[in-house]
Amino acid sequence: MSDVPSPVSPRDTTRALVLLMVGQIALHAAMAGQRMATPLQALQAGHSAWAVGLLLALFAALPVLIAMPAGRMADRHGYHRPQKLAVGLTFVGVGCALVSTFVAGWPQFALQCLGAACSGAGTNVGVIVVLRAAGLLASDSTERLRVFSWLGMAFSGANVLGPVTAGFLIDLGGFGAAYGAMLAFPLVSVWVMGQVPQTPRQAAPASRPAGAGRWELLATPGLKRLLFINWLLSASWDVHSFAVPVLGHARGYNASTIGLVLGIFTAAVTVVRFVIPLLAHRLQEVTVLRAAMVMTAAVFAIYPFAGTPWLMAGCATLLGLALGAVQPMIMSTLHHITPPDRHGEAIAIRSMTINFSSSVMPLAFGVAGTALGPGAVFWLMGAAVGGGSWAVRGLQRVFAAAEPADVPPG
């Protein structure tokens, strides 16, 4: 017996989706607020930039190691049990950060590191669990696009709620007040877990061999191709976050101008994820992915020539529209081509590639930016995305062949 949300009516589906969104916003906001506050606390304590980099890396490093076990746990036990683990890890992580405000020296930094690792791991488990559960709410491609678009907006909202709340509270009452508020967010997820109904999990298909290898799933037709596309577009997101501040600083723009460009990018991401549910019945995942790759490559080609903040903002808008549409399409396709009883593992593999890329690629961007300049980073990534668009061509055939996977078991 296990527990996964399994609504049977549109009203139940909507209620379940809202619950999943609220729970994930609370969990993700706690980590996002801590991720913003911890580096500031470390710098205030006199730690070096290297120490700050280590803290930030720890938020993404442990998720790479535990993603696969978390995905397999979600496949075996559904929503509730792994979500309890996610909430517990996040609560411990933020709690360590709170305790660090009462000590000094190396114990403080050790607690900050432990807190970063636990919060990053907990939030990542939560992401895997909620994406798997949300996929089970949909019975066809159109519903999946709507579900994952709304869920994508929840992630964006959490990345605003956590840091903004923490920032105001740091100014008003110090780091202890900020961490105390972040500690309350996981309690909302606990309440949500009590509202999500528990139902028996369907038995795994008999065709799946006992003890099947964890990496056997990569042999699923189209999965490696889809992960490659996801990596290219995820790296494009990281390139923009890295290169815009560097390019703006080189041109003498102030911090508020650079922040405005990045804010416009985020706004465009939110807008396109709001529009997708309205147009889901007219969209095809593979077509949107191909268009997103072409648009991303084109924007990166012209970005270094955007000589004013307004032109940079225009490029950021186009790029946000392209990359904002990617996550719902990737998740919908992932659920379509993989066996329903292994969705958790598939999401975990995707999570591992994204977290590993986010940990390693900024170092590569730094080397390239130092040697060739920030403009070259845009061009190199644009060439990679444009050249990698070939991977989309074969995905349509795979997508069509996986039609039976469109209906959840039972």
Side-chain angles (χ1 to χ4, degrees), residues 239-262:
V239 161
H240 189 256
S241 299
F242 166 84
V244 165
V246 176
L247 188 63
H249 177 75
R251 292 175 175 174
Y253 301 152
N254 58 31
S256 60
T257 299
I258 296 171
L260 180 62
V261 172
L262 294 175

Side-chain angles (χ1 to χ4, degrees), residues 58 77 132 143 207 242 251 264 322 344 363 374 380 397 399:
L58 285 172
H77 303 291
R132 179 189 179 277
E143 288 185 16
S207 58
F242 166 84
R251 292 175 175 174
I264 288 174
L363 300 177
L380 289 172
R397 293 189 299 271
F399 195 91

Side-chain angles (χ1 to χ4, degrees), residues 232-238 240 265 269 272-273 292-293 295-296 300 317-328 385:
L232 281 175
L233 294 171
S234 176
S236 298
W237 195 301
D238 291 336
H240 189 256
F265 170 81
V269 169
V272 76
R273 288 180 178 174
M293 296 187 79
M295 183 180 292
T296 298
F300 278 166
T317 300
L318 294 175
L319 191 65
L321 294 175
L323 296 181
V326 167
Q327 190 254 16
V385 174

Side-chain angles (χ1 to χ4, degrees), residues 137-338:
L137 298 178
S139 60
D140 57 39
S141 176
T142 298
E143 288 185 16
R144 278 198 306 268
L145 287 179
R146 291 192 175 110
V147 165
F148 288 122
S149 293
W150 286 114
L151 202 56
M153 291 183 65
F155 292 135
S156 299
N159 283 325
V160 174
L161 175 64
V164 169
T165 301
F168 276 114
L169 289 176
I170 289 171
D171 290 338
L172 292 174
F175 290 99
Y179 292 138
M182 296 304 104
L183 204 60
F185 282 135
L187 300 180
V188 177
S189 296
V190 173
W191 174 83
V192 167
M193 281 191 293
Q195 306 303 308
V196 175
Q198 299 192 21
T199 58
R201 178 173 63 94
Q202 298 293 331
S207 58
R208 180 179 173 183
R214 64 179 59 185
W215 301 113
E216 176 201 18
L217 190 62
L218 287 173
T220 302
L223 182 56
K224 286 183 284 190
R225 190 183 296 264
L226 182 65
L227 291 173
F228 175 67
I229 294 169
N230 192 106
W231 171 73
L232 281 175
L233 294 171
S234 176
S236 298
W237 195 301
D238 291 336
V239 161
H240 189 256
S241 299
F242 166 84
V244 165
V246 176
L247 188 63
H249 177 75
R251 292 175 175 174
Y253 301 152
N254 58 31
S256 60
T257 299
I258 296 171
L260 180 62
V261 172
L262 294 175
I264 288 174
F265 170 81
T266 303
V269 169
T270 304
V271 167
V272 76
R273 288 180 178 174
F274 178 80
V275 171
I276 286 175
L278 305 178
L279 302 177
H281 61 290
R282 299 179 179 272
L283 299 176
Q284 293 184 344
E285 291 90 337
V286 176
T287 302
V288 175
L289 286 175
R290 183 185 294 113
M293 296 187 79
V294 171
M295 183 180 292
T296 298
V299 171
F300 278 166
I302 63 175
Y303 219 126
F305 298 109
T308 68
W310 289 110
L311 290 176
M312 290 183 66
C315 289
T317 300
L318 294 175
L319 191 65
L321 294 175
L323 296 181
V326 167
Q327 190 254 16
M329 305 302 156
I330 291 287
M331 291 308 307
S332 179
T333 305
L334 187 72
H335 278 71
H336 190 87
I337 67 177
T338 55

